[in-house]
C-alpha cells in the first residue's frame, strides 16, 4: 500500500512540475513563435472549456462530495474538518449538506476566478499567453482546485469569496445585458441582410425573413409577458415583490417605446432585454425571505438554477464563438477592412475600388509603398499587439462568479422548508434587483 501511494505521489509531482515548467517557459518567452498555429482566437474557446470543467467540478463537489462527507461521519480527517467547518452548527442533515455543498462550489469557483484574474494580469505583459500551453493550464487549474480542499472554510470561502462572488455576479448582470443586446442586433442585421439578398433576387421573397424577425420578437415578448403573469400569480402579496414586478413592467414598456421611437427601431433587442429583465425579476423575488410572497422559501430554486446555467451557457458561447465578441474581447478594432482606393480613368473621373488591388494604375514605386503598407498592417494584426485579451479573462471571471451565486442561491443555506441565513437571501435579492434597475436605466438612456 505504501509503494502504491508513493507511485501515485511521484506521478502527480511529475505532472505538476512539468506543468509549471511549461507555464514558466511560456511566461519567459521560450515557447513556440506566435506565428505558429493555433490561431489568435483559439485561446477564447479553450478558456471557455476550462470554465465548463469548473462547472462540472462545482456540481460534483456540491452534489457528490459534500453529501458524502456529511453522511459518512466516520470520515473525520483533516479534509472533513476543513470542508465542514461552520456547518456543524446546523441540526438538520439537509442544512448541513446545503452548507457543505456551497463550500464545494466556492472552492472551485474561487480557483477559477484566481486563474482568470492571474491570466488577465499576465496577458497584459505577454499578449500571446492567452493562446499558449493550455494542457499545462488545465493541469494547474485542477491542482489549484485540489489544493483548496485543504483550506478551511472561514474566512476565505464563507466570507471573502462570498462577497467577491456577489460583486462579480452583479458585474455579470451588466455584462450579460451587453451580450443580449449584441446578440439581438447581430441576429436582426443578419436576417435583414438575408431579406435584402432575397429581395434582390426575387421581388417579395425577402418578406419571409422580415416576418421571421417579427415572429421571433413576438415569441420573446410572449415569454416575457407569460413570466410576468407567473410572477403575479405566485410571488405577490408583499410590498417589495409587488414593487419589483410593477417596476419591471414599466421599464419593459419604456424601453420598447424608446426603441420604436428611434431612427433604427429594433424589436428583437427590446424583446430580448425584456425577457432578460423578467428573468432577473424572478431571480430577485425568489430570494425574498418573506414566506407570504415566496412559495419557494426554504427550498432550492431548481428552476432558477437551470435557467441561470442556460444564461451562463449563452454567455460562454458568445465569448467563445461570436465574431462580435472577438472584436470586443481581443482586438481594439478590426484591421481586416478591405482596401479602398480611388483610381482615375481616361476621362479624368474617379471611382472607388474595393477588395484586393493589384497594380491598377500604379507605378512600381507606388506598388513598393503599397507592399510596405500591407506589411505594416500584418504587423499590426500580429498576436503581440492584441493587448486587450485581458478583457476575455475578466469576462470569464465574472461568469464564474455568476455560476457560484446561481448554484448556491447567492449564499443561502436552505433545507427542511427553512433558510438558516435569511438575511443572506435578502442581500442577494437587493443585489439582483438593483442590478436590473441599473442595466435597464442604462439601456433606456
Amino acid at each position: 500500500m505504501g509503494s502504491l501511494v508513493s507511485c501515485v505521489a511521484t506521478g502527480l509531482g511529475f505532472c505538476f512540475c512539468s506543468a509549471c515548467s511549461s507555464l514558466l517557459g511560456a511566461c519567459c518567452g521560450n515557447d513556440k513563435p506566435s506565428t505558429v498555429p493555433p490561431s489568435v482566437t483559439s485561446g477564447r474557446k479553450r478558456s471557455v472549456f476550462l470554465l465548463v470543467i469548473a462547472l462540472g467540478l462545482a456540481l460534483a463537489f456540491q452534489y457528490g462530495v459534500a453529501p458524502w462527507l456529511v453522511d459518512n461521519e466516520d470520515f473525520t480527517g483533516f479534509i472533513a474538518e476543513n470542508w465542514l467547518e461552520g456547518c456543524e452548527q446546523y441540526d438538520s442533515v439537509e442544512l448541513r449538506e446545503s452548507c457543505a455543498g456551497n463550500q464545494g462550489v466556492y472552492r472551485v469557483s474561487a480557483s477559477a476566478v484566481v486563474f482568470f484574474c492571474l491570466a488577465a494580469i499576465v496577458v497584459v505583459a505577454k499578449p500571446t499567453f492567452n493562446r499558449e500551453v493550455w494542457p499545462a493550464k488545465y493541469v494547474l487549474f485542477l491542482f489549484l482546485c485540489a489544493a483548496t480542499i485543504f483550506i478551511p472554510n472561514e474566512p476565505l470561502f464563507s466570507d471573502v469569496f462570498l462577497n467577491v462572488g456577489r460583486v462579480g455576479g452583479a458585474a455579470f448582470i451588466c455584462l450579460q445585458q451587453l451580450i443580449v443586446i449584441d446578440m439581438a442586433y447581430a441576429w436582426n442585421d443578419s436576417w435583414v441582410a438575408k431579406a435584402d439578398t432575397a429581395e434582390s433576387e426575387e421581388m417579395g421573397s425577402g418578406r419571409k425573413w422580415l416576418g421571421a424577425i417579427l415572429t421571433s420578437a413576438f415569441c420573446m415578448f410572449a415569454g416575457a409577458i407569460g413570466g410576468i403573469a407567473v410572477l403575479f400569480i405566485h410571488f405577490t402579496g408583499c410590498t417589495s415583490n409587488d414593487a419589483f414586478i410593477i417596476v419591471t413592467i414599466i421599464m419593459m414598456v419604456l424601453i420598447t417605446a424608446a426603441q420604436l421611437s428611434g431612427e433604427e427601431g429594433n424589436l428583437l433587442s427590446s424583446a430580448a432585454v425584456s425577457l432578460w429583465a423578467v428573468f432577473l425579476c424572478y431571480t430577485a423575488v425568489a430570494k425574498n425571505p418573506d414566506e407570504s410572497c415566496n412559495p419557494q422559501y426554504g427550498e432550492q430554486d431548481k428552476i432558477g438554477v437551470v435557467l441561470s446555467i442556460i444564461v451562463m451557457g449563452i454567455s460562454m458561447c458568445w465569448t467563445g464563438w461570436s465574431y462580435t465578441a472577438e472584436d470586443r474581447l481581443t482586438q481594439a478594432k478590426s484591421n481586416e477592412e478591405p482596401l479602398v482606393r480611388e483610381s482615375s480613368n481616361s476621362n479624368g473621373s474617379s471611382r472607388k475600388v474595393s477588395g484586393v488591388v493589384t497594380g491598377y494604375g500604379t507605378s512600381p514605386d507606388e506598388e513598393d509603398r503599397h507592399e510596405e503598407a500591407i506589411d505594416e498592417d500584418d504587423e499590426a494584426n500580429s498576436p503581440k499587439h492584441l493587448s486587450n485579451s485581458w478583457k476575455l479573462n475578466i469576462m470569464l471571471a465574472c461568469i464564474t462568479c455568476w455560476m457560484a451565486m446561481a448554484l448556491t442561491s447567492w449564499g443561502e443555506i436552505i433545507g427542511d422548508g427553512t433558510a438558516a441565513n435569511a438575511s443572506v437571501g435578502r442581500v442577494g435579492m437587493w443585489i439582483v434587483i438593483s442590478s436590473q434597475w441599473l442595466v435597464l436605466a442604462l439601456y433606456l438612456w
Side-chain angles (χ1 to χ4, degrees):
M1 184 64 182
S3 59
L4 178 61
V5 173
S6 178
C7 290
V8 172
T10 302
L12 292 176
F14 176 78
C15 292
F16 181 75
C17 293
S18 299
C20 288
S21 175
S22 178
L23 192 59
L24 182 61
C27 293
C28 296
N30 295 327
D31 200 63
K32 65 179 71 172
S34 58
T35 56
V36 176
S39 65
V40 177
T41 59
S42 63
R44 292 194 300 153
K45 299 174 183 178
R46 298 179 183 185
S47 299
V48 170
F49 181 66
L50 187 142
L51 191 54
V52 173
I53 295 176
L55 174 61
L57 284 175
L59 292 174
F61 279 14
Q62 185 176 23
Y63 297 106
V65 177
W68 183 85
L69 289 175
V70 173
D71 295 338
N72 290 270
E73 298 181 355
D74 296 334
F75 186 77
T76 57
F78 182 70
I79 295 177
E81 292 179 1
N82 290 329
W83 197 308
L84 300 178
E85 181 186 18
C87 299
E88 302 91 344
Q89 59 180 314
Y90 305 114
D91 298 330
S92 170
V93 174
E94 192 171 346
L95 288 176
R96 289 199 297 271
E97 290 182 354
S98 176
C99 174
N102 288 0
Q103 302 303 326
V105 174
Y106 296 155
R107 280 170 163 77
V108 177
S109 302
S111 301
V113 169
V114 169
F115 176 89
F116 289 125
C117 289
L118 290 177
I121 296 173
V122 174
V123 82
V124 173
K126 182 177 174 57
T128 57
F129 179 77
N130 209 53
R131 59 183 282 278
E132 297 172 341
V133 293
W134 273 102
K137 292 178 182 178
Y138 291 140
V139 171
L140 291 179
F141 170 70
L142 294 177
F143 270 102
L144 186 59
C145 292
T148 59
I149 297 176
F150 302 95
I151 302 176
N153 293 335
E154 298 177 356
L156 185 60
F157 300 118
S158 301
D159 298 325
V160 176
F161 181 74
L162 175 59
N163 292 306
V164 171
R166 288 170 175 172
V167 174
F172 170 82
I173 293 175
C174 299
L175 293 172
Q176 182 66 17
Q177 174 90 342
L178 300 178
I179 294 175
V180 169
I181 296 174
D182 182 80
M183 293 177 64
Y185 270 99
W187 183 1
N188 184 81
D189 293 344
S190 175
W191 283 12
V192 168
K194 291 180 180 179
D196 293 340
T197 302
E199 193 72 20
S200 64
E201 296 175 353
E202 182 180 355
M203 185 66 67
S205 60
R207 294 179 181 176
K208 61 181 181 180
W209 289 106
L210 299 179
I213 293 176
L214 293 176
T215 302
S216 301
F218 173 79
C219 291
M220 285 190 285
F221 274 124
I225 295 173
I228 289 293
V230 172
L231 295 180
F232 263 116
I233 294 173
H234 297 286
F235 292 93
T236 53
C238 56
T239 305
S240 56
N241 280 11
D242 295 346
F244 297 162
I245 298 171
I246 292 173
V247 170
T248 301
I249 296 174
I250 294 174
M251 295 299 291
M252 286 171 55
V253 174
L254 290 177
I255 62 177
T256 303
Q259 185 65 246
L260 295 179
S261 62
E263 295 181 359
E264 297 181 0
N266 190 329
L267 275 177
L268 275 179
S269 63
S270 57
V273 171
S274 298
L275 195 61
W276 172 240
V278 172
F279 167 73
L280 292 178
C281 184
Y282 166 77
T283 303
V285 298
K287 301 290 180 294
N288 197 329
D290 191 344
E291 298 183 58
S292 63
C293 56
N294 184 6
Q296 298 180 356
Y297 177 77
E299 299 177 2
Q300 186 180 28
D301 182 15
K302 297 180 180 179
I303 297 177
V305 171
V306 172
L307 292 177
S308 298
I309 292 177
I310 292 175
V311 169
M312 177 183 170
I314 293 173
S315 300
M316 290 192 298
C317 290
W318 180 87
T319 304
W321 286 272
S322 173
Y323 291 104
T324 53
E326 179 180 344
D327 295 334
R328 287 161 174 76
L329 298 178
T330 56
Q331 293 175 316
K333 62 180 180 179
S334 177
N335 293 314
E336 298 179 355
E337 298 175 356
L339 176 65
V340 178
R341 176 181 297 176
E342 290 190 0
S343 61
S344 300
N345 55 23
S346 59
N347 297 327
S349 61
S350 63
R351 59 173 177 167
K352 288 187 177 180
V353 180
S354 62
V356 180
V357 181
T358 57
Y360 179 83
T362 58
S363 64
D365 293 338
E366 290 176 337
E367 289 185 5
D368 291 340
R369 288 194 297 269
H370 175 57
E371 291 178 358
E372 292 177 359
I374 291 177
D375 292 339
E376 291 177 358
D377 289 340
D378 292 340
E379 180 69 15
N381 278 326
S382 63
K384 67 182 180 180
H385 287 274
L386 301 179
S387 58
N388 290 331
S389 297
W390 60 270
K391 298 178 183 178
L392 166 68
N393 294 286
I394 296 300
M395 176 70 189
L396 291 172
C398 292
I399 296 177
T400 304
C401 291
W402 170 265
M403 176 191 75
M405 296 299 98
L407 295 180
T408 62
S409 190
W410 292 77
E412 279 189 300
I413 298 175
I414 52 180
D416 291 335
T418 185
N421 51 353
S423 59
V424 172
R426 188 178 299 277
V427 171
M429 176 188 72
W430 282 108
I431 291 176
V432 173
I433 200 62
S434 59
S435 300
Q436 185 223 46
W437 293 343
L438 175 62
V439 296
L440 293 180
L442 291 175
Y443 182 78
L444 184 61
W445 178 67

